[in-house]
């Protein structure tokens, strides 16, 4: 409703109904998806009178996470500086398999666990791995992308026991594992998603594996 109003200003007389199957407060971008849906509905209502390039800025005022919103609006692997967004890859050499815990984590609470300063060596580590990530996505090279799947700026400070367990023993059909957003969901980057998902369901029977 609010994202529709951001473009049309007056939603009076209209009814809004949608289904959001993305689990809430699991680090999966459910709020960004809902806002993107409202923006897309507004664009449809206005025809071509609203430029697609305006949507990120309009939505970012509501969402506050331009990275999530860019991915929801553009699809694929995206980069954003907060005002502009670029899709740099349509596909990846791996497919994501999600382990979604039952517990929820509010983004604000999770962010509060992060320190205000980090050691220089950790900042340098992440700068290098960000370069690997961009290069791996743009080139589609699995080996370069695999080298990027580590983080020292936020993952060590989140309470993510499933990530720790996967890092200690990766599924046989996975190249690596990362936290999804602020967690608690974890992504296993699979070379064979069916085999990977089957193993994860056996290892984590109480959690949702998709």
């Amino acid at each position: 409703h609010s994202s529709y109003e951001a473009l049309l200003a007056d939603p009076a007389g209209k009814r809004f109904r949608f289904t959001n199957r993305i689990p809430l407060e699991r680090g999966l971008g459910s709020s960004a998806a809902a806002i993107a849906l409202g923006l897309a509905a507004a664009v449809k209502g206005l025809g071509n009178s609203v430029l697609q390039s305006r949507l990120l800025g309009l939505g970012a005022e509501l969402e506050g996470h331009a990275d999530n919103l860019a991915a929801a609006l553009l699809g694929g692997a995206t980069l954003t500086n907060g005002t502009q967004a670029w899709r740099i890859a349509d596909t990846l050499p791996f497919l994501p398999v999600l382990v979604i815990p039952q517990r929820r984590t509010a983004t604000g609470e999770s962010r509060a666990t992060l320190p205000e300063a980090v050691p220089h060596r950790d900042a340098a580590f992440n700068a290098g791995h960000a370069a690997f990530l961009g290069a791996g996505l743009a080139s589609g090279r699995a080996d370069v992308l695999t080298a990027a799947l580590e983080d020292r700026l936020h993952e060590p400070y989140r309470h993510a026991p499933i990530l720790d367990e996967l890092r200690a023993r990766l599924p046989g059909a996975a190249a690596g594992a990362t936290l999804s957003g602020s967690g608690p969901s974890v992504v296993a980057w699979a070379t064979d998603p069916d085999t990977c998902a089957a193993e994860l369901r056996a290892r984590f029977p109480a959690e949702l594996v998709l």
Side-chain angles (χ1 to χ4, degrees), residues 63-147:
E63 160 66 12
H65 300 97
D67 49 353
N68 290 351
L69 188 60
L73 288 171
L74 299 180
T78 61
L79 292 177
T80 180
N81 60 7
T83 57
Q84 295 176 284
W86 304 266
R87 182 164 62 184
I88 61 171
D90 296 328
T91 60
L92 299 178
F94 309 122
L95 290 176
V97 177
L98 285 162
V99 182
I100 306 172
Q102 298 297 322
R103 70 180 179 89
R104 297 187 178 195
T105 299
T107 301
E109 294 175 4
S110 184
R111 188 178 293 121
T113 65
L114 302 179
E116 293 189 8
V118 296
H120 184 276
R121 63 180 178 275
D122 289 344
F125 178 94
N126 261 59
H129 281 65
F132 292 148
L133 180 62
L137 290 172
S139 66
R141 286 185 52 175
D143 56 340
V144 178
L145 193 57
T146 299

Side-chain angles (χ1 to χ4, degrees), residues 3 12 30 74 77 87 101 103 118 127 139-140 150 156 166 171 177 187 194 200 205:
S3 54
S30 58
L74 299 180
R87 182 164 62 184
R103 70 180 179 89
V118 296
S139 66
E150 289 185 73
L166 288 188
V187 184
D194 292 336
L200 290 175

Side-chain angles (χ1 to χ4, degrees), residues 13-34:
K14 295 180 173 61
R15 297 177 61 189
F16 298 83
R17 184 177 67 182
F18 70 95
T19 300
N20 189 348
R21 295 187 175 88
I22 303 173
L24 303 178
E25 296 184 334
R26 305 297 207 288
L28 300 173
S30 58
S31 61

Side-chain angles (χ1 to χ4, degrees), residues 2 5-6 18-19 23 25 30 40 46 49 72 92 111 115-116 121-122 142 152 166 178 180 182 188-189 191 193 199:
S2 57
E5 187 174 5
F18 70 95
T19 300
E25 296 184 334
S30 58
L46 288 174
S49 61
L92 299 178
R111 188 178 293 121
E116 293 189 8
R121 63 180 178 275
D122 289 344
R152 292 184 183 176
L166 288 188
T178 57
S180 180
S182 60
W189 296 100
T191 54
E199 179 178 337

